[in-house]
Amino acid sequence: MKRGIYILLVSILFISCSDFQKTLKSEDTAAKFEMANELYDAGKWNKSYKLLDQILQQYRGKPQAEKLTFMHAMCSYQLKDYYIASFHFDKFTDIYPQSEKEGQAAFLAAKGYYFNSPVYSKDQKETIEAIEKLQLFVNGHPNSEYLSEANELVKELDFKLEKKAFEIGKQYNKIGGYTGDYNASIKSFNNFLLEFPGASLSSEAYYYRFDSAYNLAVLSVDYLKEQRLKDAMGYYNSLKKTFPNSEHMEAASLMNEELQQQLNTFTTKS
């Protein structure tokens, strides 16, 4: 019984594949149109796309063209070919700005750019492009049903840029050993705090900036040390004022006491 069902299913699949191949190779545009629709509705994105790719040009300027153009883009999107999908959705919105599908197409075009954004440790050119595309969608579709999701995607991408900038400063801090690295860390965190005001990683940035300044001061040669001790204590005061409840506050306070003790030796000498 089970073997018979298995043979039946295999036969249906074979016939189905055979029908698709015949239609794909035929010159019957109407048959391709019909099968492309059936496959699309069944979620057979790859097969539907192949048929649509063959007939799309033949329907340019005809009533069916709008539907087919959207389907063509959607197949690419469902196949996770986001570069191509975004290109086709952008093209759809240009050709059919009054379409009832324009809002969905505009959102999916922007979301395709989101999916192409790499991990934070890599170059963020695509991330910046995705933010720009999503922001254009938000600005142009203030009443869209996709507005909330688009704003969440922008926040996620913004954090990716924030994380990358933060990690650059932290990496210099970790390298340590050379005053140049600590200087680079301080500059990186200063830039970070200017570029991302109110960022979720601000508290950490304030602490690691102070930590870098602390190490820079402690490792300094005598003729630079006094000023660097004062600078480091200034960063401590900024941390304490801005984030008095930081989880690093206890450790930072002990570090600041050491800085004060070392600074006192310069006061005593003078």
Side-chain angles (χ1 to χ4, degrees), residues 6-20 44 47:
Y6 174 76
I7 293 173
L8 178 62
L9 290 173
V10 171
S11 299
I12 292 172
L13 181 62
F14 178 78
I15 293 170
S16 176
C17 290
S18 177
D19 288 343
F20 169 74
K44 305 295 184 181
K47 289 183 177 180

Side-chain angles (χ1 to χ4, degrees), residues 39 93 106 143 150 192 226 239:
L39 292 168
T93 59
N143 300 314
F192 172 85
E226 183 175 7
L239 168 63

Side-chain angles (χ1 to χ4, degrees), residues 2-270:
K2 289 183 179 179
R3 188 169 184 276
I5 294 174
Y6 174 76
I7 293 173
L8 178 62
L9 290 173
V10 171
S11 299
I12 292 172
L13 181 62
F14 178 78
I15 293 170
S16 176
C17 290
S18 177
D19 288 343
F20 169 74
Q21 291 298 331
K22 287 179 181 177
T23 304
L24 189 66
K25 294 175 182 178
S26 77
E27 300 296 326
D28 191 338
T29 302
K32 291 182 179 183
F33 177 89
E34 182 180 355
M35 180 169 280
N37 272 284
E38 291 175 357
L39 292 168
Y40 182 89
D41 291 339
K44 305 295 184 181
W45 312 112
N46 190 43
K47 289 183 177 180
S48 181
Y49 182 85
K50 289 179 179 179
L51 291 169
L52 290 168
D53 213 35
Q54 288 186 351
I55 65 175
L56 198 55
Q57 288 296 332
Q58 298 173 52
Y59 280 93
R60 294 297 184 197
K62 296 181 180 179
Q64 303 95 327
E66 180 181 331
K67 178 182 179 181
L68 292 178
T69 302
F70 183 87
M71 289 168 59
H72 190 240
M74 182 61 84
C75 285
S76 295
Y77 183 86
Q78 295 292 350
L79 291 168
K80 303 186 188 304
D81 192 349
Y82 297 118
Y83 282 111
I84 297 298
S86 291
F87 172 80
H88 286 312
F89 278 128
D90 279 335
K91 192 173 181 180
F92 177 88
T93 59
D94 287 340
I95 299 173
Y96 306 105
Q98 302 304 317
S99 171
E100 63 177 20
K101 293 283 190 180
E102 188 277 336
Q104 183 182 8
F107 172 67
L108 292 178
K111 193 173 181 179
Y113 286 97
Y114 159 83
F115 282 122
N116 287 323
S117 170
V119 295
Y120 78 87
S121 57
K122 294 186 177 181
D123 182 81
Q124 293 300 299
K125 178 182 176 182
E126 285 89 351
T127 301
I128 294 170
E129 188 175 21
I131 291 173
E132 291 173 350
K133 294 291 184 180
L134 284 163
Q135 200 59 60
L136 282 173
F137 169 78
V138 169
N139 295 341
H141 302 78
N143 300 314
S144 171
E145 63 183 293
Y146 303 106
L147 191 64
S148 177
E149 184 179 354
N151 282 323
E152 287 302 313
L153 295 178
V154 170
K155 287 180 183 178
E156 184 180 333
L157 294 171
D158 277 338
F159 179 76
K160 192 178 288 188
L161 296 181
E162 176 188 330
K163 178 74 170 173
K164 182 175 180 64
F166 174 83
E167 290 296 333
I168 290 173
K170 192 174 180 181
Q171 184 62 32
Y172 280 123
N173 174 273
K174 283 184 176 180
I175 293 172
Y178 299 95
T179 55
D181 293 323
Y182 289 123
N183 256 324
S185 179
I186 293 168
K187 289 178 182 178
S188 294
F189 282 123
N190 282 336
N191 291 335
F192 172 85
L193 293 168
L194 284 172
E195 188 175 354
F196 301 98
S200 58
L201 293 170
S202 290
S203 175
E204 292 291 296
Y206 269 85
Y207 169 71
Y208 281 107
R209 180 177 66 171
F210 165 61
D211 183 74
S212 292
Y214 163 84
N215 284 294
L216 179 64
V218 169
L219 294 172
S220 288
V221 293
D222 285 346
Y223 78 95
L224 294 174
K225 195 162 194 174
E226 183 175 7
Q227 185 56 52
R228 286 177 172 176
L229 288 167
K230 291 177 180 178
D231 291 343
M233 292 175 72
Y235 287 129
Y236 167 78
N237 289 331
S238 295
L239 168 63
K240 185 177 180 180
K241 180 179 179 181
T242 312
F243 295 100
N245 298 316
S246 167
E247 63 178 300
H248 301 293
M249 208 63 236
E250 184 177 350
S253 295
L254 292 174
M255 292 157 66
N256 188 61
E257 288 177 11
E258 183 182 346
L259 293 172
Q260 183 64 65
Q261 289 172 7
Q262 292 198 28
L263 184 60
N264 289 341
T265 62
F266 285 93
T267 306
T268 302
K269 288 178 183 178
S270 62

